[in-house]
Amino acid sequence: MQPGALDRHGLPAGIVTRAIAGAVDYAVIAVTVLAIHFARVALRFLWNPVSFHWPRANFALMLGAGAVLMLMYLTVAWSTSGRTWGGAMMSTRVVTPKGNRLGLGYALARAAFTIVFPIGLFWCALPERRSVQDMVLRTRVLYDYPIREHHDLARTRPEPN
Amino acid sequence: MCVGAVSYATPPLTRAASVVAGPTRRIGGVLMRPPLVPSRFTPAHWLDTFEAQGRQVRGLTTAGLVTLTDEMVPALASAVLARLDPIELVKQTLDHDQVERELDLLVPFATEAILSRVEPVTLIEANLRPEQVEKLLDLYLGEVTTAVLARLDLTELVRRHVGLTSLTRDVLADIDLVGITELVIAELDLADIAQGVIDDIDLPSIIRASSTGVASDMVGDTRQSAASADDAVSAFFGRLRGSSSRDTAGP
């Protein structure tokens, strides 16, 4: 680990980290939607292979399905561990103002707000590092490195004089 | 008693004899060579003749005896030896201990005398035949070699006297390493060996651990890079906002 990482633990995460985490989450949902689509096509083929033809993808339907999946995904992730897969990869966690995990309703509201107004994320480019959702719902997204990394950083950190 | 008597009687007898000797000698001379008798008829002449005759006969007899002895002794010896076993005779009469003692005394002198007159190396070179050398080597070479090797530290000798570096270099220069390697590869079943190594060292777990490590490093680097970018972006917008607030505030 590079020096300075331990100092960021518990501090608000910035735009780049959160954007990468969000991109990972969107990729997960996109892959899931595609998998569902292909599963549906396969079932149709198995049901009637003779008259099978490749169905035309309905973009709006897929988008809607993706939105629903994203809603469920974000809600469950934030209300259980506080981090999605993207957040786990980038070591960020969504917490309440007191630093606790979000409740189910709280996570659902934030998830809906994020899906409806995704552009609000880019407000965390400012020094306060808070998106529109964070300011409205009073949540925070913090750097949260794993325990092992934390201890590794503590071991490698130079002792203060 | 007798000796005393003789010693007592000897001097008077000696004196008497000396008195009588003179006249006796004169009388004897007259008797041996009577006067007026021719010499060849005198007793002295006869005695001289007898003496000469006796001397001649004695000479002839001696010569004859010598000749007879020269002829008889070999014949007698042959006859005796033909009836006896000399070796058995020697064995029965010979005292071995005495012989050994005599040899112990004589052999060193004899050896020294021989060696002082003979050059051993020249003698051996002149008389030792190749087949004798081969036989000697067959008999003793193993024992001699074993004894020599038991007294030498070959490792130290080689280390001190053999240039191992240059020797190795020369050996490597002479041998066909590529050919040997190809031969080894052709003889070995490398697939089996590789499979055995893989089975023994649990290669899948190693690959898994290294892959995990690589992936963790990549993710860690990504996090760090993103966090640094966060700082940079925040600082930029902070400066931007700070300069814009100064502008709106006015002078």
Side-chain angles (χ1 to χ4, degrees):
Chain A
M1 297 296 289
Q2 298 176 5
L6 186 58
D7 297 331
R8 294 196 181 94
H9 180 74
L11 296 178
I15 177 64
V16 177
T17 301
R18 292 175 64 168
I20 294 174
V24 171
D25 293 332
Y26 276 109
V28 167
I29 297 300
V31 167
T32 305
V33 168
L34 284 174
I36 293 172
H37 173 69
F38 284 122
R40 180 168 152 260
V41 170
L43 282 173
R44 178 178 284 190
F45 171 77
L46 290 173
W47 183 257
N48 194 354
V50 177
S51 62
F52 171 79
H53 64 88
W54 196 274
R56 198 172 165 184
N58 188 334
F59 184 73
L61 182 63
M62 291 174 72
L63 197 63
V68 171
L69 280 173
M70 178 67 89
L71 184 70
M72 293 164 55
Y73 168 70
L74 293 177
T75 305
V76 170
W78 285 338
S79 62
T80 53
S81 61
R83 50 168 66 182
T84 60
W85 279 338
M89 194 184 98
M90 298 308 294
S91 294
T92 58
R93 190 185 297 276
V94 180
V95 295
T96 63
K98 293 183 180 177
N100 299 323
R101 199 170 62 242
L102 272 64
L104 188 62
Y106 211 166
L108 181 64
R110 194 174 189 278
F113 199 169
T114 302
I115 292 168
V116 168
F117 191 62
I119 200 75
L121 171 69
F122 291 95
W123 206 254
C124 66
L126 296 175
E128 292 79 18
R129 300 193 180 189
R130 300 185 74 180
S131 64
V132 172
Q133 289 83 356
D134 291 335
M135 287 191 294
V136 169
L137 296 174
R138 300 173 66 80
T139 56
R140 293 189 299 166
V141 178
L142 308 178
Y143 291 113
D144 184 32
Y145 295 106
I147 303 280
R148 185 178 60 81
E149 278 183 22
H150 204 228
H151 288 173
D152 290 343
L153 291 170
R155 279 199 297 272
T156 57
R157 190 180 191 185
E159 294 289 334
N161 291 327
Chain B
M1 180 183 77
C2 295
V3 170
V6 167
S7 64
Y8 188 74
T10 298
L13 287 175
T14 305
R15 283 195 298 272
S18 62
V19 169
V20 174
T24 305
R25 197 176 295 115
R26 282 192 292 274
I27 294 169
V30 171
L31 291 175
M32 294 303 282
R33 290 179 182 85
L36 300 177
V37 177
S39 63
R40 63 178 182 272
F41 295 113
T42 58
H45 176 73
W46 294 342
L47 289 174
D48 291 339
T49 304
F50 292 153
E51 185 185 3
Q53 186 73 23
R55 195 180 297 118
Q56 186 182 4
V57 169
R58 190 171 62 249
L60 290 172
T61 306
T62 303
L65 282 174
V66 168
T67 304
L68 183 65
T69 305
D70 288 341
E71 291 174 357
M72 282 183 63
V73 166
L76 281 173
S78 299
V80 168
L81 288 174
R83 287 162 176 74
L84 296 176
D85 183 359
I87 296 173
E88 198 57 39
L89 190 65
V90 168
K91 281 184 184 175
Q92 289 175 4
T93 56
L94 202 62
D95 181 2
H96 293 284
D97 295 334
Q98 180 65 28
V99 169
E100 284 188 13
R101 284 195 293 273
E102 296 297 332
L103 284 177
D104 289 340
L105 292 174
L106 287 173
V107 164
F109 290 109
T111 306
E112 190 178 340
I114 292 170
L115 291 179
S116 65
R117 288 163 175 76
V118 177
E119 181 59 41
V121 175
T122 308
L123 186 67
I124 292 171
E125 285 178 350
N127 294 286
L128 198 60
R129 297 191 296 278
E131 55 270 21
Q132 289 175 323
V133 173
E134 288 292 330
K135 193 172 181 181
L136 284 172
L137 288 175
D138 290 339
L139 288 172
Y140 300 112
L141 184 60
E143 294 175 21
V144 170
T145 307
T146 303
V148 168
L149 290 176
R151 288 162 174 74
L152 293 178
D153 183 359
L154 284 181
T155 306
E156 188 59 35
L157 278 175
V158 169
R159 193 180 290 131
R160 213 185 302 160
H161 299 288
V162 176
L164 292 174
T165 306
S166 59
L167 182 65
T168 307
R169 200 180 301 122
D170 293 341
V171 168
L172 289 175
D174 288 339
I175 62 175
D176 180 17
L177 285 175
V178 174
I180 291 173
T181 306
E182 289 176 351
L183 195 64
V184 169
I185 291 172
E187 292 292 327
L188 293 177
D189 186 359
L190 291 178
D192 268 352
I193 294 172
Q195 186 62 43
V197 170
I198 290 168
D199 292 339
D200 287 339
I201 65 174
D202 196 9
L203 193 61
S205 67
I206 293 173
I207 293 172
R208 198 182 312 122
S210 63
S211 301
T212 305
V214 168
S216 298
D217 289 344
M218 284 176 61
V219 170
D221 290 343
T222 305
R223 288 175 188 154
Q224 289 306 306
S225 302
S228 300
D230 291 341
D231 295 339
V233 169
S234 296
F236 171 76
F237 281 102
R239 283 196 297 273
L240 200 63
R241 192 171 61 182
S243 63
S244 64
S245 65
R246 281 198 300 273
D247 290 340
T248 53

